[in-house]
Amino acid sequence: APCCDKLYTCRLCHDSNEDHQLDRFKVKEVQCINCEKIQHAQQTCEECSTLFGEYYCSICHLFDKDKKQYHCENCGICRIGPKEDFFHCLKCNLCLAMNLQGKHKCIENVSRQNCPICLEDIHTSRVVAHVLPCGHLLHRTCYEEMLKEGYRCPLCMHSALDMTRYWRQLDDEVAQTPMPSEYQNMTVDILCNDCNGRSTVQFHILGMKCNICESYNTAQAGGCRISLDQ
């Protein structure tokens, strides 16, 4: 480690034991565990031919087992591949699965923001990032934990998964739960978190359905009032 002139088996071991982070790009030398020869960073020991890693990146100085890694010049770091299964979105500034090409909402430099759940880095994290329909990113593990408590993006409140089936179930529950007579002609203005549309709908305690996209992911945007045709 050029920052503290100490030997570590990996940068993560260094970071967990020191009060600073190792700059992986500044690593110049490695020591062979077998023959203890200190040498320029390379894939194979120049003294005893020990293979330091099935995969080696001369930019990141990453030594690892073969996981079909590839170095993405735009990301600036190595990613787990295979490379042909991913593309780099220039606006999001992140490598994404090919099945998302042309099918995701771009947010400029979205990966350079911390995960809104754990507040830790996403871009260089070893945890896979999950892309929400709204375009925001969460760690996959954070996303799975979030779904135990709710269904909405913690940043923009957009539905984080396809809720169509649940909305139809809620339709049935609303239909089977009539409001008391004094509330049956009461309307309220709502704002939809999914389509950002505004509409005026009948008030119901179980939820107010957006007239535009039929989502129940809505918020009251005004006071209740009694319809004139009561």
Side-chain angles (χ1 to χ4, degrees), residues 177-194:
T177 313
M179 294 292 290
S181 58
E182 61 266 32
Y183 294 103
Q184 287 183 358
N185 294 308
M186 184 172 287
T187 60
V188 62
D189 295 329
I190 60 170
L191 172 65
C192 180
N193 291 316
D194 287 339

mmCIF file of all heavy atoms in Angstrom, residues 177-194:
data_model
loop_
_atom_site.group_PDB
_atom_site.id
_atom_site.type_symbol
_atom_site.label_atom_id
_atom_site.label_comp_id
_atom_site.label_asym_id
_atom_site.label_seq_id
_atom_site.Cartn_x
_atom_site.Cartn_y
_atom_site.Cartn_z
ATOM 1 N N THR A 177 -66.455 -2.204 0.060
ATOM 2 C CA THR A 177 -66.440 -1.442 1.313
ATOM 3 C C THR A 177 -67.031 -0.056 1.082
ATOM 4 O O THR A 177 -66.311 0.936 0.954
ATOM 5 C CB THR A 177 -65.000 -1.318 1.854
ATOM 6 O OG1 THR A 177 -64.352 -2.576 1.822
ATOM 7 C CG2 THR A 177 -65.002 -0.768 3.282
ATOM 8 N N PRO A 178 -68.338 0.048 1.005
ATOM 9 C CA PRO A 178 -68.951 1.371 0.782
ATOM 10 C C PRO A 178 -68.737 2.284 1.986
ATOM 11 O O PRO A 178 -68.716 1.838 3.132
ATOM 12 C CB PRO A 178 -70.437 1.043 0.592
ATOM 13 C CG PRO A 178 -70.625 -0.255 1.316
ATOM 14 C CD PRO A 178 -69.346 -1.027 1.124
ATOM 15 N N MET A 179 -68.537 3.564 1.674
ATOM 16 C CA MET A 179 -68.350 4.548 2.735
ATOM 17 C C MET A 179 -69.703 4.905 3.354
ATOM 18 O O MET A 179 -70.745 4.774 2.701
ATOM 19 C CB MET A 179 -67.686 5.801 2.160
ATOM 20 C CG MET A 179 -66.263 5.575 1.660
ATOM 21 S SD MET A 179 -65.116 5.225 3.013
ATOM 22 C CE MET A 179 -65.056 6.834 3.805
ATOM 23 N N PRO A 180 -69.717 5.356 4.593
ATOM 24 C CA PRO A 180 -70.975 5.823 5.210
ATOM 25 C C PRO A 180 -71.618 6.903 4.350
ATOM 26 O O PRO A 180 -70.940 7.612 3.595
ATOM 27 C CB PRO A 180 -70.507 6.374 6.558
ATOM 28 C CG PRO A 180 -69.244 5.640 6.850
ATOM 29 C CD PRO A 180 -68.583 5.441 5.530
ATOM 30 N N SER A 181 -72.928 7.046 4.447
ATOM 31 C CA SER A 181 -73.675 7.961 3.577
ATOM 32 C C SER A 181 -73.152 9.395 3.610
ATOM 33 O O SER A 181 -73.143 10.093 2.591
ATOM 34 C CB SER A 181 -75.161 7.946 3.965
ATOM 35 O OG SER A 181 -75.315 8.306 5.334
ATOM 36 N N GLU A 182 -72.672 9.845 4.775
ATOM 37 C CA GLU A 182 -72.192 11.230 4.861
ATOM 38 C C GLU A 182 -70.883 11.451 4.095
ATOM 39 O O GLU A 182 -70.468 12.587 3.877
ATOM 40 C CB GLU A 182 -72.013 11.650 6.325
ATOM 41 C CG GLU A 182 -71.013 10.826 7.111
ATOM 42 C CD GLU A 182 -71.674 9.684 7.861
ATOM 43 O OE1 GLU A 182 -72.697 9.145 7.356
ATOM 44 O OE2 GLU A 182 -71.181 9.327 8.946
ATOM 45 N N TYR A 183 -70.208 10.347 3.689
ATOM 46 C CA TYR A 183 -68.944 10.479 2.952
ATOM 47 C C TYR A 183 -69.059 10.070 1.481
ATOM 48 O O TYR A 183 -68.108 10.233 0.723
ATOM 49 C CB TYR A 183 -67.862 9.621 3.599
ATOM 50 C CG TYR A 183 -67.452 10.069 4.984
ATOM 51 C CD1 TYR A 183 -67.908 9.402 6.111
ATOM 52 C CD2 TYR A 183 -66.612 11.166 5.163
ATOM 53 C CE1 TYR A 183 -67.539 9.801 7.385
ATOM 54 C CE2 TYR A 183 -66.235 11.576 6.427
ATOM 55 C CZ TYR A 183 -66.704 10.890 7.537
ATOM 56 O OH TYR A 183 -66.341 11.305 8.791
ATOM 57 N N GLN A 184 -70.222 9.564 1.086
ATOM 58 C CA GLN A 184 -70.340 9.000 -0.252
ATOM 59 C C GLN A 184 -70.212 10.031 -1.365
ATOM 60 O O GLN A 184 -69.853 9.696 -2.486
ATOM 61 C CB GLN A 184 -71.664 8.239 -0.370
ATOM 62 C CG GLN A 184 -71.657 6.926 0.401
ATOM 63 C CD GLN A 184 -72.940 6.141 0.236
ATOM 64 O OE1 GLN A 184 -73.874 6.591 -0.440
ATOM 65 N NE2 GLN A 184 -73.005 4.967 0.849
ATOM 66 N N ASN A 185 -70.522 11.289 -1.100
ATOM 67 C CA ASN A 185 -70.395 12.336 -2.120
ATOM 68 C C ASN A 185 -69.200 13.253 -1.867
ATOM 69 O O ASN A 185 -69.124 14.342 -2.431
ATOM 70 C CB ASN A 185 -71.680 13.165 -2.169
ATOM 71 C CG ASN A 185 -72.852 12.356 -2.661
ATOM 72 O OD1 ASN A 185 -72.773 11.737 -3.713
ATOM 73 N ND2 ASN A 185 -73.934 12.334 -1.886
ATOM 74 N N MET A 186 -68.288 12.787 -1.038
ATOM 75 C CA MET A 186 -67.121 13.601 -0.718
ATOM 76 C C MET A 186 -66.005 13.343 -1.728
ATOM 77 O O MET A 186 -65.674 12.202 -2.034
ATOM 78 C CB MET A 186 -66.626 13.295 0.696
ATOM 79 C CG MET A 186 -65.461 14.168 1.146
ATOM 80 S SD MET A 186 -65.088 13.906 2.898
ATOM 81 C CE MET A 186 -66.497 14.737 3.641
ATOM 82 N N THR A 187 -65.431 14.396 -2.270
ATOM 83 C CA THR A 187 -64.329 14.275 -3.230
ATOM 84 C C THR A 187 -63.073 14.937 -2.668
ATOM 85 O O THR A 187 -63.128 15.752 -1.749
ATOM 86 C CB THR A 187 -64.694 14.937 -4.574
ATOM 87 O OG1 THR A 187 -64.968 16.327 -4.362
ATOM 88 C CG2 THR A 187 -65.887 14.249 -5.207
ATOM 89 N N VAL A 188 -61.939 14.570 -3.262
ATOM 90 C CA VAL A 188 -60.659 15.101 -2.805
ATOM 91 C C VAL A 188 -59.695 15.201 -3.983
ATOM 92 O O VAL A 188 -59.756 14.406 -4.914
ATOM 93 C CB VAL A 188 -60.060 14.194 -1.691
ATOM 94 C CG1 VAL A 188 -59.788 12.787 -2.220
ATOM 95 C CG2 VAL A 188 -58.812 14.803 -1.089
ATOM 96 N N ASP A 189 -58.851 16.209 -3.955
ATOM 97 C CA ASP A 189 -57.811 16.363 -4.979
ATOM 98 C C ASP A 189 -56.609 15.502 -4.582
ATOM 99 O O ASP A 189 -56.181 15.520 -3.416
ATOM 100 C CB ASP A 189 -57.372 17.820 -5.104
ATOM 101 C CG ASP A 189 -58.487 18.721 -5.603
ATOM 102 O OD1 ASP A 189 -59.332 18.226 -6.372
ATOM 103 O OD2 ASP A 189 -58.514 19.904 -5.218
ATOM 104 N N ILE A 190 -56.069 14.749 -5.549
ATOM 105 C CA ILE A 190 -54.923 13.879 -5.265
ATOM 106 C C ILE A 190 -53.800 14.111 -6.267
ATOM 107 O O ILE A 190 -54.008 14.592 -7.387
ATOM 108 C CB ILE A 190 -55.317 12.385 -5.296
ATOM 109 C CG1 ILE A 190 -55.854 11.997 -6.677
ATOM 110 C CG2 ILE A 190 -56.314 12.055 -4.198
ATOM 111 C CD1 ILE A 190 -56.037 10.499 -6.863
ATOM 112 N N LEU A 191 -52.583 13.757 -5.834
ATOM 113 C CA LEU A 191 -51.400 13.781 -6.693
ATOM 114 C C LEU A 191 -50.886 12.358 -6.775
ATOM 115 O O LEU A 191 -50.685 11.700 -5.744
ATOM 116 C CB LEU A 191 -50.321 14.695 -6.115
ATOM 117 C CG LEU A 191 -48.952 14.668 -6.815
ATOM 118 C CD1 LEU A 191 -49.080 15.194 -8.247
ATOM 119 C CD2 LEU A 191 -47.931 15.487 -6.033
ATOM 120 N N CYS A 192 -50.692 11.868 -7.985
ATOM 121 C CA CYS A 192 -50.220 10.497 -8.182
ATOM 122 C C CYS A 192 -48.697 10.461 -8.170
ATOM 123 O O CYS A 192 -48.039 11.202 -8.909
ATOM 124 C CB CYS A 192 -50.745 9.942 -9.503
ATOM 125 S SG CYS A 192 -50.202 8.247 -9.837
ATOM 126 N N ASN A 193 -48.134 9.592 -7.337
ATOM 127 C CA ASN A 193 -46.676 9.451 -7.269
ATOM 128 C C ASN A 193 -46.110 8.679 -8.447
ATOM 129 O O ASN A 193 -44.906 8.724 -8.698
ATOM 130 C CB ASN A 193 -46.286 8.735 -5.969
ATOM 131 C CG ASN A 193 -46.531 9.576 -4.744
ATOM 132 O OD1 ASN A 193 -46.228 10.757 -4.720
ATOM 133 N ND2 ASN A 193 -47.112 8.979 -3.715
ATOM 134 N N ASP A 194 -46.966 7.957 -9.186
ATOM 135 C CA ASP A 194 -46.482 7.152 -10.304
ATOM 136 C C ASP A 194 -46.461 7.909 -11.629
ATOM 137 O O ASP A 194 -45.515 7.804 -12.403
ATOM 138 C CB ASP A 194 -47.319 5.877 -10.446
ATOM 139 C CG ASP A 194 -47.016 4.862 -9.350
ATOM 140 O OD1 ASP A 194 -45.928 4.958 -8.745
ATOM 141 O OD2 ASP A 194 -47.853 3.983 -9.109
#
